[in-house]
Amino acid sequence: MEVRDESVSAARERLEHRLIGPVVFWLAIGTAIVHLYFNTISTLSELWSSALHFGLFGLICTLTTPMLKARSAAGQRIVLGVDVMLGLTALACAFYLIIFENDLYQRGFNFDTGDWIVSIVSVTLILELARRTVGWFIPVLCVIALTYVAWWGQYVEGLFNFPGLSWETVLYRSYIGGQGMLGSIARISWTYVFMFILFGAFLVKSGAGDFIIELARCAAGRFVGGPGFVAVFASGLMGSVSGSSVANTVSTGVITIPLMRKAGFPARFAAGVEAAASTGGQLMPPVMGAGAFIMASYTQVSYLTIIGVAALPALLYFISVGMFVRIEAKRSHAVKPEDDAAPSLKEVLKGGWHFLLPLVVLVAMLVYGFTPTYAAGIAILSVVVASWLSKYPMGFRDILDALAMGTRNITTTAILLITVGLIVMVVSTTGIGNTFSLMITDWAGGSLLLTIFLVALASLILGMGLPVTAAYIVLATLSAPAIYNLIAQSQLVELMVNGNLPEQAKTIFMLAAPDRLSLLDAPMDAATAQQLLSLVPDTFSSQLLEQALSPAALSMLLVAAHMVIFWLSQDSNVTPPVCLTAFAAAAIAGTPQMRTGFTAWKLAKGLYIVPLLFAYSPLITGDFTEMIRVFCFALFGIYAIIAGLEGYLEHKLNLLVRLLMFPIGALMLWPHGQLLLDGAGLVAFLIVLVWSSRCGKRFDGGHTGNKAGMSSAA
């Protein structure tokens, strides 16, 4: 945290510098224009675009984030001079690749002196830039990975033994070959991530942030504990366009946290609500941070499909945070502040309906079939046009400010994604991802639940040193195959239990276990199905899946596996000891950082419950009816578990009822597929809810009567 805080303060000083500030401003504008060109009408190769992406953001990063914090004025000038030289070097490395790429091909990929120098300098530079922006963890991890490929991997015994590649090959794949720094992850950075963060910057600059806050107050401010619901609703709306949990916390928290405290919520709870709700911004379509774009690249499933299946789970998460808010509002007797007059919906829409037009344009173009980057480009133009319908139309200066702000907002993410490309290159080159997946499966004994637990533990450990996006990329590369295979096997078991295994899939069993083939013609128990599956050799597993399940079903199972990892990767936002979102909220509320982190962690329990639904239920993989059924019962199941955790519903629960809430909630969440059991759990919960509500009314009546009596006596 101290390293990150120092880099932020140093960056602020640089941006306020009388010379560097304007240079960065115009450089950021130029970078934005170049990237708009890349994503709309450019015919440059992806490798050249990625190289320029690295060079431009390398220059911006060196100018805005000093190499070290100098104490004296002379030291600051020396550091600035070094940073300028390093930034220009990054840009020169990009142009070297563009100019001399064909020469390298003509030499048969044999390095000359210039290739050696540029490759080494480029890799060293990106590691240094990563150190400046996110600390030492990623650079050290990259050094370990690269030296594993070129040097010490050959000395490792067992599964992780790797014979090794020459340094020439490693450097070629790291920089020039378009597989590492300039590979698929960099392409995601300069396409999807840049365009949608720029889109969010234009929306914020046009005044959409204020509109979102007012819309949230109008929609949620009238409920019990309204200010808390305003925080949840506003963070969801803001996160849907910003995709950054910390930025979400800072932008909405300065309004919602004081509002919650004024209503009677405890300060630490108010900060926890804002942190938990803002974390959900990276789960809320259409932006989802960089997750949706990276997921689309990994799974080869369309971006539109991913944000479509992500909507219900995200809604489930935000409602779960809202459940905590309602319970705390009842317990704390939080009320709406008398001087907080929420505007009417008519007034809010009358003053800001035009802010909805860019979102309509974006979604319409995606549905019509345009690429996400082109749709984002048109949506950015529509923000400017829509602002002309308001009282404060965006002028030329506002457009420049939005371009500069969007570029600065993505600088850290761009550097991070370019660097993580090195790790992805090593994993794909060595095949260590498949090895790691096999190890996870072996450790878990083939248990999907235990596998998810191990991935959750790994995400928590990685989250202590990696931001969410990097943690997701690393975990997805290493563990997605294991989770995917186990989810797919559970689908196979279900088909076999019901006696619905397709005929073409039975031919695999004819080769593996011909004496058991007759068992497949009738329903069987799960244990028998598992035993039959264990007889199929690993070499035939993929063929069995392809024969038993349709390509569309397999694609959605892969999305489910990635969604499990993506959700679990978010826990570093709200889980101590490293929970930047909770720390940002604590700074606004003036509460202890660690205690606020634990509060946010409790409120974000949906991050751990909902991924289990991805793995065990058709919340993502089913048809619309199945998805809605799972969603509805999960809603009440989570509410029951939260009531058990809090010991409160509409009124305080006694110990017996409190303990009873956990099995009731589990009954509605458990993937048994029996509507009767789900209904029984729902009826039991509603009985407790009605009983608790009546107890609460009696208590509130007595409490009001006592207050009236005391007032009369006075």
Side-chain angles (χ1 to χ4, degrees):
M1 274 298 297
E2 291 181 1
V3 174
R4 179 63 181 155
D5 290 341
E6 286 186 5
S7 65
V8 171
S9 62
R12 189 180 300 112
E13 291 177 7
R14 279 282 177 89
L15 291 175
E16 293 173 355
H17 191 279
R18 61 183 180 83
L19 178 61
I20 297 301
V23 169
V24 171
F25 177 77
W26 289 106
L27 178 61
I29 291 172
T31 300
I33 293 173
V34 168
H35 280 73
L36 286 171
Y37 168 72
F38 287 165
N39 287 284
T40 50
I41 60 175
S42 171
T43 57
L44 292 178
S45 69
E46 291 184 355
L47 180 62
W48 288 14
S49 298
S50 296
L52 289 173
H53 180 67
F54 158 64
L56 289 170
F57 277 103
L59 179 56
I60 292 173
C61 184
T62 55
L63 293 178
T64 56
T65 310
M67 179 174 56
L68 51 89
K69 189 173 178 60
R71 303 298 178 185
S72 64
Q76 290 177 359
R77 286 193 293 271
I78 293 174
V79 171
L80 177 58
V82 173
D83 286 337
V84 170
M85 291 301 298
L86 290 177
L88 293 175
T89 301
L91 197 58
C93 289
F95 280 109
Y96 179 91
L97 177 59
I98 293 173
I99 295 171
F100 295 104
E101 182 190 9
N102 289 332
D103 292 344
L104 177 65
Y105 297 155
Q106 291 174 2
R107 292 195 302 271
F109 301 98
N110 294 317
F111 271 22
D112 64 8
T113 303
D115 298 330
W116 280 102
I117 293 174
V118 169
S119 299
I120 293 172
V121 169
S122 298
V123 172
T124 305
L125 264 176
I126 198 62
L127 295 180
E128 162 60 13
L129 297 178
R131 181 200 64 81
R132 296 186 188 195
T133 53
V134 295
W136 280 101
F137 187 90
I138 291 181
V140 170
L141 190 63
C142 287
V143 170
I144 292 173
L146 293 174
T147 54
Y148 167 78
V149 176
W151 171 44
W152 60 271
Q154 58 188 313
Y155 302 111
V156 178
E157 297 182 358
L159 292 174
F160 291 103
N161 177 267
F162 183 72
L165 299 173
S166 67
W167 274 111
E168 184 180 39
T169 303
V170 172
L171 290 172
Y172 173 79
R173 295 189 179 189
S174 296
Y175 183 65
I176 297 178
Q179 299 172 9
M181 290 170 51
L182 310 181
S184 59
I185 306 300
R187 180 179 59 80
I188 291 170
S189 179
W190 62 260
T191 54
Y192 305 122
V193 179
F194 183 90
M195 292 299 288
F196 278 87
I197 288 182
L198 187 64
F199 173 59
F202 267 81
L203 275 176
V204 171
K205 188 63 181 178
S206 69
D210 296 332
F211 169 71
I212 286 173
I213 296 291
E214 291 301 306
L215 187 62
R217 291 176 61 198
C218 174
R222 294 177 174 82
F223 293 103
V224 175
F229 286 109
V230 169
V232 175
F233 193 51
S235 295
L237 292 176
M238 188 69 75
S240 68
V241 294
S242 72
S244 170
S245 57
V246 176
N248 203 343
T249 300
V250 174
S251 60
T252 61
V254 293
I255 298 174
T256 59
I257 290 176
L259 198 62
M260 281 188 278
R261 294 187 63 181
K262 203 171 184 180
F265 286 102
R268 185 155 50 92
F269 181 83
V273 167
E274 181 58 47
S278 294
T279 296
Q282 297 199 63
L283 308 173
M284 176 63 74
V287 179
M288 297 172 62
F293 316 119
I294 298 172
M295 203 178 298
S297 177
Y298 272 131
T299 63
Q300 296 301 302
V301 174
S302 73
Y303 164 78
L304 195 61
T305 300
I306 288 174
I307 64 173
V309 299
L312 281 180
L315 185 60
L316 196 59
Y317 174 81
F318 281 104
I319 294 176
S320 73
V321 179
M323 292 168 181
F324 278 105
V325 170
R326 178 174 176 81
I327 288 174
E328 185 60 37
K330 286 286 187 176
R331 181 162 50 199
S332 302
H333 301 286
V335 295
K336 177 184 174 183
E338 294 181 359
D339 59 347
D340 180 39
S344 66
L345 179 61
K346 182 178 180 180
E347 292 174 351
V348 173
L349 291 178
K350 182 179 179 181
W353 63 272
H354 57 279
F355 291 118
L356 301 176
L357 293 179
L359 296 176
V360 173
V361 170
L362 175 64
V363 174
M365 294 195 68
L366 289 172
V367 171
Y368 194 72
F370 288 95
T371 64
T373 52
Y374 188 81
I378 300 301
I380 289 170
L381 291 177
S382 71
V383 173
V384 178
V385 174
S387 73
W388 295 341
L389 302 175
S390 70
K391 296 179 181 178
Y392 306 102
M394 292 183 70
F396 184 66
R397 178 68 189 195
D398 295 320
I399 294 173
L400 295 180
D401 287 341
L403 289 170
M405 181 172 66
T407 302
R408 289 198 301 268
N409 287 347
I410 194 186
T411 299
T412 298
T413 303
I415 295 299
L416 172 67
L417 293 179
I418 293 170
T419 310
V420 169
L422 292 172
I423 300 174
V424 174
M425 181 274 295
V426 169
V427 171
S428 61
T429 298
T430 61
I432 199 172
N434 292 331
T435 302
F436 189 78
S437 293
L438 291 173
M439 288 184 63
I440 290 179
T441 305
D442 186 52
W443 291 341
S447 168
L448 177 57
L449 182 61
L450 190 53
T451 300
I452 293 175
F453 172 78
L454 291 174
V455 172
L457 184 62
S459 73
L460 182 59
I461 295 172
L462 285 175
M464 294 180 184
L466 291 177
V468 167
T469 303
Y472 164 62
I473 292 173
V474 173
L475 278 173
T477 305
L478 294 175
S479 59
I483 297 180
Y484 164 72
N485 286 330
L486 290 173
I487 294 177
Q489 285 182 17
S490 68
Q491 294 287 315
L492 279 176
V493 169
E494 184 177 347
L495 288 174
M496 295 167 68
V497 167
N498 296 326
N500 295 329
L501 192 69
E503 290 297 327
Q504 60 267 28
K506 295 179 182 179
T507 58
I508 303 294
F509 287 95
M510 186 181 298
L511 298 174
D515 56 324
R516 305 285 186 91
L517 193 61
S518 59
L519 296 176
L520 299 175
D521 295 328
M524 65 184 73
D525 58 79
T528 304
Q530 289 281 10
Q531 185 180 15
L532 283 174
L533 274 181
S534 66
L535 298 176
V536 178
D538 293 337
T539 53
F540 290 108
S541 295
S542 59
Q543 297 178 28
L544 178 59
L545 289 177
E546 293 172 0
Q547 296 293 339
L549 300 169
S550 67
L554 290 174
S555 296
M556 295 314 299
L557 292 178
L558 185 58
V559 171
H562 276 268
M563 203 69 80
V564 168
I565 297 168
F566 181 64
W567 273 61
L568 292 176
S569 299
Q570 307 297 319
D571 63 357
S572 61
N573 280 320
V574 290
T575 306
V578 180
C579 42
L580 298 182
T581 304
F583 290 166
I588 297 172
T591 54
Q593 290 187 337
M594 281 301 171
R595 294 183 67 188
T596 303
F598 280 110
T599 300
W601 176 68
K602 180 184 73 171
L603 299 177
K605 278 295 168 286
L607 289 178
Y608 304 97
I609 297 175
V610 177
L612 295 177
L613 298 177
F614 298 153
Y616 286 101
S617 77
L619 182 60
I620 284 182
T621 57
D623 57 36
F624 183 73
T625 303
E626 291 175 320
M627 293 166 66
I628 291 296
R629 180 180 63 81
V630 172
F631 173 82
C632 292
F633 284 110
L635 204 61
F636 289 101
I638 292 174
Y639 200 1
I641 289 176
I642 290 173
L645 290 172
E646 294 290 274
Y648 208 99
L649 204 50
E650 297 295 293
H651 185 62
K652 185 177 181 180
L653 303 177
N654 60 49
L655 181 60
L656 179 61
V657 176
R658 182 177 183 178
L659 293 176
L660 188 62
M661 287 291 96
F662 293 105
I664 289 176
L667 190 62
M668 289 182 279
L669 290 168
W670 195 261
H672 43 65
Q674 300 294 323
L675 187 60
L676 184 61
L677 293 178
D678 286 331
L682 178 58
V683 169
F685 173 74
L686 292 177
I687 290 172
V688 176
L689 180 64
V690 171
W691 168 78
S692 178
S693 178
R694 290 181 177 177
C695 290
K697 287 179 180 179
R698 286 200 301 269
F699 175 80
D700 290 341
H703 186 68
T704 304
N706 290 336
K707 289 173 66 177
M710 291 172 63
S711 176
S712 177

